[in-house]
Amino acid sequence: MATVDEIEVPVRLREKAYDKFKQHLLARELRAGQFVSQRELVKLTGLSLGAIRELIPRLEADGLLKTVPQRGLQIAHVDVNLIRDAFQYRLFLEREAVMLFATNATSETVAELRRRHKKIIAECESTEKRKKPLTPELMDWAEETDFSLHRSIVDALGNAIISEAYRINHMKIRLIRQQQTSFLDGRIVPAMKEHLAVLDAVGKRDVERAVDALTRHIRIAEDRALGRAAPDTERVNLVS
């Protein structure tokens, strides 16, 4: 009979393989719709062929990869159906979660999130005034701050299964951004301001307003992904 350690080792290896794949996906070293072979994944991740073969069924189950006969492995392909499905799932889940977040989030949590968002806005506007391009560090910080708010909202549900499912859907959202629209091209400041509208409502414990602000933010993101950019009149003003 296998010991506990003998059982845990392959489990840890599978988790390591999954984490490695996600890292390369988020680093844009793997692109939506790209075809890759098992051996290419071995070279990219530094993992064994056995680990990659064990990883494939999980990635297929999560909708991040599929096996195409005669062609090999394909990273999730971005199309209208994926965009609509991913954003519908996100909207359904986050609307429910933000009601609890608006009730239970601590004042300290809200204040820290607001501080980070305002600092990013200030950095972006300062860079724009100097007619300089945004630095990779600032763009990475904005991306992480964007996710940190949404992650905090969903985690407020206190449900590990939902939180993990949300993170998988977030991977698909990242693929959509890479393929269809650039979060980092003129979108950082408007997105941060939309977040501040949500946080302002949360800080005032205004559940209905928080739901409305979050819904609007997600709808704008979906419209951009589908090529239906919101008009200037729809932009959110910075909340003081």
Side-chain angles (χ1 to χ4, degrees):
M1 180 179 294
T3 66
V4 173
D5 286 344
E6 289 172 334
I7 293 172
E8 287 182 348
V9 168
V11 171
R12 289 197 297 269
L13 288 175
R14 285 196 294 271
E15 288 301 318
K16 180 181 178 182
Y18 191 78
D19 288 343
K20 280 271 191 179
F21 179 87
K22 289 195 298 183
Q23 289 170 14
H24 289 289
L25 195 63
L26 294 177
R28 304 191 181 197
E29 294 167 356
L30 293 168
R31 310 288 296 187
Q34 176 183 345
F35 281 92
V36 293
S37 68
Q38 292 183 17
R39 295 199 177 278
E40 285 173 327
L41 288 177
V42 167
K43 183 177 180 180
L44 181 65
T45 63
L47 299 168
S48 69
L49 184 58
I52 294 298
R53 285 174 174 166
E54 288 196 13
L55 173 65
I56 290 171
R58 180 176 177 184
L59 294 174
E60 289 181 319
D62 288 348
L64 297 174
L65 187 77
K66 70 176 180 179
T67 300
V68 180
Q70 310 302 320
R71 298 201 63 183
L73 305 171
Q74 185 182 29
I75 308 301
H77 175 67
V78 173
D79 57 17
V80 171
N81 289 333
L82 176 63
I83 294 171
R84 287 178 175 165
D85 288 351
F87 277 96
Q88 183 181 49
Y89 177 87
R90 181 182 175 189
L91 186 62
F92 175 81
L93 186 57
E94 290 192 50
R95 279 172 57 91
E96 186 71 23
V98 79
M99 289 190 283
L100 191 60
F101 186 70
T103 303
N104 295 339
T106 66
S107 298
E108 292 77 14
T109 295
V110 176
E112 174 58 19
L113 286 168
R114 285 175 59 84
R115 184 194 67 78
R116 290 178 63 185
H117 280 73
K118 286 190 172 186
K119 187 168 179 59
I120 289 171
I121 291 171
E123 290 283 349
C124 289
E125 291 179 341
S126 174
T127 300
E128 183 179 352
K129 286 180 181 178
R130 290 184 280 112
K131 301 186 183 302
K132 298 288 186 179
L134 299 181
T135 65
E137 292 78 15
L138 178 56
M139 291 189 288
D140 288 344
W141 184 25
E143 191 84 47
E144 172 54 31
T145 299
D146 176 84
F147 181 49
S148 70
L149 173 61
H150 294 285
R151 180 180 58 212
S152 296
I153 290 171
V154 172
D155 287 350
L157 292 170
N159 187 309
I161 294 175
I162 290 176
S163 290
E164 179 59 24
Y166 180 80
R167 282 160 175 73
I168 293 169
N169 193 64
H170 176 70
M171 298 290 291
K172 297 172 185 175
I173 295 292
R174 289 289 294 268
L175 283 173
I176 291 167
R177 283 178 178 169
Q178 291 175 13
Q179 187 79 359
Q180 298 289 336
T181 184
S182 176
F183 170 75
L184 304 174
D185 183 14
R187 178 61 186 149
I188 292 179
V189 171
M192 294 295 105
K193 290 180 178 181
E194 290 159 21
H195 282 190
L196 283 172
V198 176
L199 289 168
D200 181 63
V202 170
K204 295 176 180 177
R205 307 303 174 188
D206 189 333
V207 174
E208 183 177 354
R209 186 176 159 205
V211 171
D212 288 345
L214 182 67
T215 299
R216 185 172 174 281
H217 169 61
I218 294 175
R219 290 295 190 197
I220 289 173
E222 181 181 17
D223 283 345
R224 288 178 63 87
L226 289 168
R228 302 193 304 253
D232 290 342
T233 54
E234 288 294 312
R235 291 184 179 176
V236 178
N237 292 324
L238 176 60
V239 180
S240 60

